[in-house]
């Protein structure tokens, strides 16, 4: 169990829940970072008394510094501020809850500083999975997943020996538009896309869940985290989100992890692991669980998942390009500037348009990420 944490992206959904779990389990919040929501950040800073706070946006950082001038909190800004929070001597764990590729450099810095990484930032592994996992092995830094599916797989694999795993069964709810045809989704509004049936999450990930791009990103993430090939992962649609994922062992045994759909649970385990603590969350009531059902994913009407699986097979910079293009397209959709079905067109178009490269350096990865963003900004 960790004693003291840095939360990168503390004003987002995962960041806020992490702070609450830390308080419940008696873990100190030593550092906080946010992009620019300084009102909430100030409330959190006054509540948790971290030693260091970084605000990514330079202007917002100046305003924040003035707002907390009566405290002894040190304030940093920009990427250097995020890296300082990620490597703070006082923290033994870094929760990477920022959204987007901005999480990449601080995560690598935290690995170099041998911190436990409670990984909630998908882009880190999607864009630079080979590099990040190799670096973590080399430095002996632990990576504990926070995403509910990966936390489930991680738990199902506890105590397993090498060679026992046959395949990973990655479950997903299918999102709010499960069962619908792509043509009928043309006029979906941001409010409809953000209303997830089971999980309460931020806007960007909620849209990704509705297009199944989120499952696609998780597919790539799982491949890296658990060192398996795309053929070793099967996506299973499970609308109730009670089973958070499963593993099938070589003898045919399937081990599943179940729980209420609340992100607080995987967050808490990432902090208390290898211990478990009583939580403040609801427990499953089997008398109320009427049924658990399963379906094949609909790759025809939800082509984002198929695209992500293709990119996982292509490897190199393909997943990064897809993810960056998707991110820009989703934000355009949320601002009302792009139709719902055009999100896929933008992501697929970027993968087609931008030259494939080996993802062997941070420079190449960040250049591909930027090229994908520019492509969507210019063409959509
Ligand atoms: Mg998930």
């Amino acid at each position: 169990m960790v004693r003291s944490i840095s939360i990168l992206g503390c004003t987002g959904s995962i960041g806020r829940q992490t702070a609450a779990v830390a308080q419940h389990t008696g873990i100190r919040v030593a550092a906080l970072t946010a992009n620019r929501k300084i009102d909430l950040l100030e409330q959190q800073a006054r509540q948790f008394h971290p030693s260091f706070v970084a605000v990514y946006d330079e202007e917002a950082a100046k305003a924040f510094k003035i707002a907390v001038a009566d405290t002894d909190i040190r304030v940093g800004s920009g990427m250097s501020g995020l890296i300082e929070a990620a490597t703070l001597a006082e923290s033994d764990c870094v929760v990477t809850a920022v959204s987007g590729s901005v999480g990449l450099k601080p995560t690598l810095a935290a690995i170099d500083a041998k911190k436990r990484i409670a990984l909630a930032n998908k882009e880190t592994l999607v864009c630079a999975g080979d590099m990040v996992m190799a670096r973590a092995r080399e430095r002996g830094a632990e990576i504990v997943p926070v995403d509910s599916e990966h936390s489930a797989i991680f738990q199902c694999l506890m105590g397993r020996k090498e060679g026992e795993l046959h395949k990973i069964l990655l479950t997903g709810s299918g999102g709010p538009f499960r069962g619908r045809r792509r043509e009928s989704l043309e006029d979906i509004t941001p409010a409809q896309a953000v209303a997830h049936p089971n999980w309460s999450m931020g806007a960007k990930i909620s849209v990704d869940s509705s297009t199944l791009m989120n499952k696609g990103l998780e597919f790539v993430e799982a491949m890296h985290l658990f060192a398996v090939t795309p053929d070793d992962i099967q996506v299973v649609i499970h609308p109730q989100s009670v089973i958070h994922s499963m593993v099938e062992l070589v003898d045919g045994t399937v081990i599943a992890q179940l729980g209420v759909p609340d992100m607080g649970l995987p967050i808490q385990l990432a902090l208390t692991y290898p211990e478990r603590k009583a939580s403040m969350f609801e427990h499953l009531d089997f008398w109320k669980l009427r049924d658990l059902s399963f379906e094949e994913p609909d790759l025809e009407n939800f082509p984002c998942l198929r695209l992500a699986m293709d990119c996982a097979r292509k490897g190199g910079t393909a997943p990064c390009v897809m993810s960056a293009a998707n991110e820009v397209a989703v934000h355009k959709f949320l601002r009302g500037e792009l139709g719902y079905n055009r999100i896929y067109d933008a992501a697929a178009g970027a993968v087609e348009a931008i030259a494939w490269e080996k993802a062997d350096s941070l420079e190449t990865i960040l250049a591909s990420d930027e090229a994908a963003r520019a492509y969507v900004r210019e063409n959509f």
Side-chain angles (χ1 to χ4, degrees):
M1 174 159 166
V2 303
R3 289 181 313 269
S4 178
I5 60 172
S6 294
I7 308 176
L8 309 189
C10 65
T11 57
S13 171
I14 297 285
R16 282 180 277 127
Q17 293 179 74
T18 302
V21 167
Q23 193 167 44
H24 172 80
T25 44
I27 292 167
R28 169 161 165 74
V29 177
L32 294 172
T33 84
N35 182 18
R36 57 161 68 104
K37 280 189 198 145
I38 56 169
D39 291 344
L40 175 56
L41 182 61
E42 185 186 343
Q43 273 177 35
Q44 291 175 315
R46 291 187 187 279
Q47 185 180 356
F48 299 105
H49 311 290
S51 334
F52 179 72
V53 174
V55 185
Y56 187 61
D57 182 275
E58 298 288 349
E59 285 307 306
K62 282 181 202 156
F64 182 77
K65 211 166 182 169
I66 296 166
V68 296
D70 62 314
T71 71
D72 55 3
I73 298 169
R74 280 193 309 119
V75 179
S77 66
M79 184 50 78
S80 65
L82 262 52
I83 290 175
E84 187 170 348
T87 54
L88 199 73
E90 209 186 312
S91 295
D92 41 23
C93 170
V94 177
V95 183
T96 59
V98 293
S99 162
S101 50
V102 68
L104 199 47
K105 281 184 184 170
T107 306
L108 286 168
I111 289 172
D112 286 345
K114 297 189 168 66
K115 308 288 186 195
R116 171 183 296 183
I117 312 294
L119 188 78
N121 170 257
K122 291 203 161 80
E123 288 78 1
T124 299
L125 290 185
V126 169
C127 294
D130 290 332
M131 192 192 298
V132 168
M133 294 308 292
R135 184 89 68 101
R137 272 192 296 276
E138 199 181 291
R139 304 286 161 132
E142 267 178 316
I143 297 187
V144 184
V146 165
D147 207 346
S148 62
E149 292 79 0
H150 304 86
S151 175
I153 298 161
F154 182 77
Q155 293 176 62
C156 294
L157 288 173
M158 278 178 190
R160 300 267 77 81
K161 292 195 185 74
E162 185 131 7
E164 287 184 0
L165 177 68
H166 178 57
K167 68 179 172 193
I168 286 173
L169 298 157
L170 180 69
T171 57
S173 70
F177 309 134
R178 182 175 57 88
R180 288 183 56 171
R181 300 194 60 78
R182 181 164 157 80
E183 306 84 77
S184 80
L185 299 174
E186 203 63 61
D187 301 321
I188 290 297
T189 64
Q192 289 170 312
V194 165
H196 195 277
N198 304 339
W199 296 94
S200 144
M201 304 177 289
K204 195 263 177 184
I205 186 173
S206 296
V207 175
D208 285 346
S209 295
S210 77
T211 60
L212 297 198
M213 178 57 94
N214 184 54
K215 209 46 57 187
L217 297 172
E218 291 179 352
F219 187 96
V220 180
E221 252 192 305
M223 199 175 84
H224 291 296
L225 263 175
F226 305 109
V228 297
T229 69
D231 293 332
D232 300 325
I233 308 172
Q234 185 180 339
V235 174
V236 177
I237 300 300
H238 164 49
Q240 296 84 8
S241 302
V242 167
I243 295 176
H244 297 145
S245 276
M246 306 176 268
V247 301
E248 187 183 310
L249 305 180
V250 282
D251 61 358
T253 293
V254 174
I255 300 180
Q257 188 264 342
L258 288 71
V260 292
D262 191 316
M263 284 308 296
L265 281 174
I267 292 171
Q268 177 167 315
L269 184 72
L271 303 184
T272 63
Y273 170 80
E275 291 162 40
R276 290 198 187 251
K277 294 237 160 190
S279 80
M280 53 184 167
F281 308 104
E282 237 182 279
H283 288 204
L284 272 183
D285 180 347
F286 279 86
W287 302 154
K288 286 188 186 146
L289 282 182
R290 287 186 312 279
D291 52 8
L292 300 180
S293 59
F294 307 94
E295 304 169 6
E296 253 179 76
D298 180 355
L299 301 182
E300 197 183 316
N301 290 300
F302 296 86
C304 284
L305 176 56
R306 193 189 54 218
L307 174 68
M309 288 162 135
D310 288 346
C311 288
R313 287 196 170 81
K314 280 186 189 139
T317 51
C320 176
V321 165
M322 174 198 72
S323 166
N326 174 67
E327 191 179 322
V328 175
V330 169
H331 285 296
K332 271 180 170 282
F333 165 72
L334 286 169
R335 288 195 301 268
E337 297 165 14
L338 192 70
Y340 183 76
N341 284 344
R342 297 282 281 158
I343 296 172
Y344 165 76
D345 298 339
V351 173
E352 193 68 36
I354 291 155
W356 183 95
E357 287 184 76
K358 273 190 184 156
D360 53 5
S361 78
L362 198 54
E363 291 67 39
T364 306
I365 291 165
L366 293 175
S368 299
D369 177 281
E370 194 38 53
R373 286 168 200 274
Y375 167 85
V376 179
R377 281 194 292 260
E378 282 156 25
N379 296 285
F380 286 83

